[in-house]
Amino acid sequence: MALPVEEWRRSAARCWAVLEPALRERLAAAPLGEALRMGCGLFGPEEAALQRLCRRARTGKEPAAARFYREEGNRQFGRCCYRDAVRLYSQAAAHEPPRSPEVALCFANRSAALFHLGHFEVCLEDIARAESHGYPDRLLPKVLLRKAECLLRLGKLQDATDTLTAVENKMTVDGIMTSPIHRMLLKKLSQLKTEIHEGSCPEPAREAHGDIQRESEIWEENGSISGASSSLSLNFSTERGRHLVASQDILPGQNLLKEKAFVSVLCPGEGDSLLLQDSSETVWDTRVTNADLYCHHCLKQLLASIPCCGCSYAKYCSQNCADVAWEQYHRTECPLGALLLTLGVFCHVALRTVLLAGFSEVSRLVEWSRDDSNKDLCNAEAGGEHPSEVLDTRAGRKVIPGCNDNGQYQSSYQAVFNLLPHVEKHSPEHKFLCMLSIVAICKKLQETGLEAAVLNGESSTTGSEQKTCGKTSDELSPELMIMAEAMLRHVLQLQCNAQAITVMQELESGDGAVVNKKPVRLATAFFPVLSLLNHSCSPNISVSFSGTAATVRASQPIPSGQEIFHCYDEAIKMLLKCQIDARNFLSPEHLLMGELEDHLAQVYATLGKWQEAARHLGRSIQLVEMHHGPSSVEMGHELFKLAQILFNGFAVSEALSTIQRAEEILSVHCGPQSTQIQELQEMKTCLLELPRSILQRT
């Protein structure tokens, strides 16, 4: 949810509608800083409504929720649904107080489920967490036996022996050896000691190493554009603004840019409304959202999450990610969790951007933008006298906006700040909504005493003085007003500069014989260099993501001098290509007909009717090729599905030719190391290893 919840949007619209026409005109024409000053006085009447909405976002730690999720986890564990149990125990841990016996119990329970899933290393990590968080001493023997068994499975015989010795000593010291549970533990202890003595432990788990070698590629980084290939150059014109062009001929599949997001915020996903339910409801939902599946810092897929110590929402893949996030931004965001979920991802990105940049850098650039002598530089892309560069009157030289003093365009806050907010193109009502939302965040920072943290301790007043002042004043401090102005600028920038970080997520596919995936928006981010690419519904590049990093590859030959184009939004691309109207709706060539054929193929694949599945998917592929092109990434994904169907249907020659086509397309768009490429090569290897007589028959 990029924008605030609908109720807050309606509340802001009502507030705007009752303003005097003269005041509306002043707000619409005012610079961002002046609009914020006026907005502080207008926010008061709306504050109570926003507070009511925030109470629906349940981000605090609630013992009732912890009990519910723990009991649900136990229920799923009893049904041998261990993956579901892991997720539910993670939810329970997120609601328990940090470093408590209760959270230790969640980690111990989760370790049991992880053991059954074969994740022995992660199981050991959870056991260590349980011990460090105060796991009850009387229950330790059972957990330590599980630890010894994990070590045994990993081939760490000496460590397993030492652990078993510690278990034996503890049980002897405790002197409680007669209960059924302890008799069971003694039996397990004897079993494990025998396995170690006889050396009958299973082969230690080894990390999987793909046979695919990374193709050697000559990568010469651009000296002027950080993360970009030397085959690109940065240009500027009044018509195109800043843009990248090919400085030499570029081949399909060639890497053009590798950039880590300056800032990214995880989108809760399709189930984000679950976090905004009525506070009177006591039924806890067990449905999964992106917030449960991915690390809130690095966006790595989660198995056994580490909860935030202050809220139940933020979850991390490791203690290191949790610590880094806390130091960089979450210390400030944590108490604002409900407000940020209510105001939407764009406001959250804006706040995190200024937190990462720091008050000193934000202040420098805001003050620079207010300087009248820099107005031409700030507005250059809206039109100017210099078609290829802009005059910086203070320095007496010509530069491209966003570049540093050395003329380099880096993935930095200065580059983010110089992305165009297009203030004049937003409706006055939308700017008013954004302004009220930013005022709400800053007011909350003052009320909770977090202003000092936002300003990195650079304010002249102490934290306690700021807190007291914030409670009695309707205005923002000068320092916080600077941060607010930058945040408002960033929210407006995001309307046309936000980049969706996507992942290929599996859909339900019956018995799992055919893996059906679709791209899902995982996070919203600022990529300053990637934002230099102008939009086209016929792009000549593909963008893929690994965590918070983007890789741009050429999807077709790009001759020297041609501009590099990116499709900003697949929805725009689909709408323009479909051209839906009453006359062609559900015509034989409509994309929805392709989706119907795709779904029929999935049904037949589930039934094991591979020829029928291939026939229906073939019709879908024809429509995908017609609408997206024979070398599009969409075509690659469809061929990947067809390859799986032909593989399972034992149509060897057709499968091999389809695998080759899918490889050629997906290696260009996703790179040779992508998961789909590796799966295709595994299928090909399997087919080629079949007896020659079978290959000849097929």
Side-chain angles (χ1 to χ4, degrees):
M1 185 172 59
L3 296 176
V5 296
E6 185 179 352
E7 294 90 337
W8 176 239
R9 296 201 300 269
R10 287 202 301 262
S11 181
R14 286 193 298 268
C15 181
W16 173 262
V18 299
L19 294 179
E20 292 291 334
L23 180 55
R24 288 205 298 265
E25 289 181 14
R26 284 175 55 203
L27 280 166
L32 298 183
E34 181 60 31
L36 282 162
R37 274 185 282 276
M38 289 188 281
C40 289
L42 298 171
F43 174 68
E46 307 304 318
E47 187 170 8
L50 184 57
Q51 288 176 347
R52 285 194 298 273
L53 292 172
C54 289
R55 283 196 287 270
R56 302 187 319 179
R58 306 167 84 159
T59 60
K61 293 186 178 291
E62 302 187 37
R67 286 192 298 273
F68 169 79
Y69 286 119
R70 187 167 57 247
E71 290 168 3
E72 285 295 310
N74 292 340
R75 201 169 285 118
Q76 293 301 323
F77 188 93
R79 296 170 181 164
C80 299
C81 299
Y82 300 118
R83 193 166 295 278
D84 289 337
V86 166
R87 178 177 54 79
L88 289 162
Y89 288 140
S90 298
Q91 286 287 73
H95 282 278
E96 296 287 13
R99 309 200 69 80
S100 64
E102 292 81 10
V103 76
L105 185 62
C106 293
F107 289 139
N109 289 348
R110 192 171 70 180
S111 73
L114 289 165
F115 178 84
H116 284 285
L117 289 170
H119 296 292
F120 303 123
E121 291 281 7
V122 187
C123 177
L124 288 172
E125 292 172 7
D126 259 4
I127 290 172
R129 291 185 191 106
E131 291 184 88
S132 66
H133 285 70
Y135 191 69
D137 194 62
R138 60 186 174 80
L139 300 176
L140 269 178
K142 185 177 180 180
V143 172
L144 291 177
L145 278 176
R146 188 179 304 135
K147 177 180 179 180
E149 196 162 1
C150 281
L151 292 167
L152 187 63
R153 297 292 180 270
L154 293 168
K156 300 178 180 180
L157 301 185
Q158 186 57 54
D159 291 340
T161 301
D162 294 343
T163 303
L164 287 177
T165 301
V167 175
E168 198 167 22
N169 292 340
K170 176 159 185 57
M171 293 177 70
T172 303
V173 170
D174 289 347
I176 43 175
M177 313 289 285
T178 57
S179 68
I181 183 67
H182 282 86
R183 283 199 297 271
M184 183 191 72
L185 291 176
L186 282 171
K187 183 179 178 181
K188 186 70 175 176
L189 177 63
S190 176
Q191 263 182 339
L192 290 175
K193 289 173 71 175
T194 301
E195 287 185 29
I196 291 175
H197 179 71
E198 295 177 354
S200 61
C201 64
E203 190 73 19
R206 294 192 181 118
E207 291 185 14
H209 294 284
D211 294 327
I212 305 171
Q213 298 295 321
R214 184 176 296 276
E215 294 182 2
S216 59
E217 180 181 1
I218 299 174
W219 171 267
E220 185 179 345
E221 187 157 348
N222 198 304
S224 301
I225 312 164
S226 66
S229 162
S230 58
S231 59
L232 302 180
S233 62
L234 174 60
N235 283 15
F236 180 88
S237 72
T238 54
E239 296 80 16
R240 307 295 303 164
R242 289 165 293 185
H243 57 281
L244 296 178
V245 299
S247 56
Q248 60 190 53
D249 291 344
I250 295 171
L251 299 175
Q254 187 172 329
N255 280 351
L256 302 180
L257 174 65
K258 302 171 184 176
E259 183 182 19
K260 185 176 181 180
F262 179 83
V263 60
S264 62
V265 171
L266 183 73
C267 302
E270 293 179 359
D272 58 0
S273 59
L274 303 178
L275 297 162
L276 297 169
Q277 54 190 330
D278 192 282
S279 59
S280 63
E281 294 181 15
T282 56
V283 178
W284 297 92
D285 207 300
T286 58
R287 283 177 288 177
V288 183
T289 70
N290 283 344
D292 306 311
L293 297 175
Y294 297 92
C295 177
H296 288 223
H297 178 66
C298 72
L299 304 183
K300 178 181 176 182
Q301 193 160 9
L302 292 174
L303 176 61
S305 61
I306 307 299
C308 168
C309 61
C311 69
S312 62
Y313 178 67
K315 304 174 186 72
Y316 304 96
C317 65
S318 66
Q319 191 60 51
N320 180 64
C321 271
D323 293 341
V324 171
W326 184 262
E327 289 302 318
Q328 290 186 348
Y329 52 82
H330 194 63
R331 184 197 306 270
T332 302
E333 293 178 357
C334 189
L336 276 62
L339 177 64
L340 294 173
L341 282 172
T342 302
L343 295 181
V345 172
F346 279 6
C347 284
H348 197 162
V349 172
L351 173 61
R352 188 172 294 180
T353 300
V354 298
L355 291 175
L356 289 171
F359 176 70
S360 178
E361 181 69 357
V362 172
S363 177
R364 179 182 74 83
L365 288 167
V366 169
E367 294 294 345
W368 174 85
S369 69
R370 291 173 177 174
D371 189 333
D372 288 338
S373 63
N374 292 314
K375 294 298 183 184
D376 289 339
L377 188 60
C378 294
N379 299 324
E381 288 177 271
E385 297 179 359
H386 306 280
S388 61
E389 52 194 352
V390 183
L391 181 65
D392 183 344
T393 54
R394 291 188 309 167
R397 66 181 188 281
K398 295 177 180 180
V399 297
I400 292 178
C403 292
N404 62 19
D405 292 340
N406 297 319
Q408 296 173 318
Y409 191 94
Q410 297 180 318
S411 187
S412 63
Y413 181 66
Q414 178 168 324
V416 171
F417 190 87
N418 276 278
L419 296 174
L420 288 180
H422 292 295
V423 176
E424 72 288 347
K425 294 183 180 179
H426 295 283
S427 70
E429 294 87 346
H430 177 71
K431 286 189 286 187
F432 183 72
L433 168 66
C434 296
M435 179 266 295
L436 279 186
S437 300
I438 294 302
V439 169
I441 292 175
C442 294
K443 290 279 190 180
K444 190 70 173 177
L445 290 171
Q446 283 194 156
E447 291 170 7
T448 52
L450 290 168
E451 184 174 353
V454 174
L455 303 180
N456 295 326
E458 295 178 40
S459 173
S460 59
T461 57
T462 65
S464 60
E465 288 173 339
Q466 290 168 5
K467 187 172 181 180
T468 303
C469 179
K471 287 183 177 179
T472 58
S473 174
D474 290 333
E475 295 185 358
L476 301 178
S477 68
E479 295 90 349
L480 202 51
M481 184 63 75
I482 288 173
M483 299 295 269
E485 184 173 338
M487 281 191 279
L488 181 53
R489 180 185 181 92
H490 297 323
V491 170
L492 297 176
Q493 287 172 328
L494 284 163
Q495 294 293 324
C496 52
N497 288 288
Q499 174 64 54
I501 295 178
T502 59
V503 292
M504 295 300 294
Q505 224 170 61
E506 287 187 20
L507 304 175
E508 294 296 327
S509 55
D511 61 0
V514 177
V515 178
N516 190 18
K517 297 183 177 182
K518 71 170 183 178
V520 174
R521 189 186 192 106
L522 177 59
T524 297
F526 267 135
F527 287 91
V529 180
L530 185 56
S531 292
L532 293 172
L533 303 183
N534 283 320
H535 168 77
S536 170
C537 289
S538 300
N540 50 18
I541 57 97
S542 279
V543 183
S544 59
F545 299 94
S546 176
T548 61
T551 299
V552 176
R553 296 179 179 87
S555 60
Q556 61 190 54
I558 305 174
S560 178
Q562 187 176 100
E563 185 174 350
I564 312 300
F565 289 110
H566 174 33
C567 182
Y568 283 0
D569 193 331
E570 285 301 312
I572 296 175
K573 186 176 177 182
M574 293 285 287
L575 286 171
L576 290 174
K577 283 186 173 289
C578 287
Q579 297 179 339
I580 298 175
D581 58 38
R583 290 171 298 177
N584 70 3
F585 190 71
L586 289 184
S587 69
E589 296 181 353
H590 197 281
L591 264 177
L592 285 178
M593 293 300 296
E595 291 184 20
L596 289 174
E597 295 287 355
D598 193 286
H599 287 305
L600 284 170
Q602 292 177 47
V603 171
Y604 280 112
T606 302
L607 296 173
K609 297 183 178 181
W610 306 111
Q611 287 185 343
E612 283 294 305
R615 185 167 60 84
H616 284 287
L617 191 57
R619 293 173 183 168
S620 173
I621 287 173
Q622 290 175 357
L623 293 173
V624 168
E625 182 173 3
M626 182 188 304
H627 286 275
H628 297 286
S631 300
S632 64
V633 68
E634 293 84 359
M635 189 70 173
H637 293 322
E638 290 298 300
L639 288 171
F640 176 77
K641 286 189 283 187
L642 180 60
Q644 294 176 86
I645 288 173
L646 295 170
F647 176 86
N648 283 287
F650 214 57
V652 179
S653 59
E654 293 95 331
L656 287 172
S657 63
T658 303
I659 287 170
Q660 183 176 347
R661 286 182 65 197
E663 273 189 289
E664 290 171 355
I665 295 172
L666 291 174
S667 61
V668 167
H669 292 278
C670 308
Q673 297 298 307
S674 69
T675 303
Q676 287 178 303
I677 291 291
Q678 295 189 36
E679 290 178 18
L680 287 167
Q681 295 202 348
E682 287 171 5
M683 284 192 284
K684 180 166 63 176
T685 300
C686 183
L687 291 173
L688 292 175
E689 288 176 351
L690 291 172
R692 185 178 297 275
S693 58
I694 296 178
L695 290 174
Q696 289 174 343
R697 285 204 305 270
T698 57

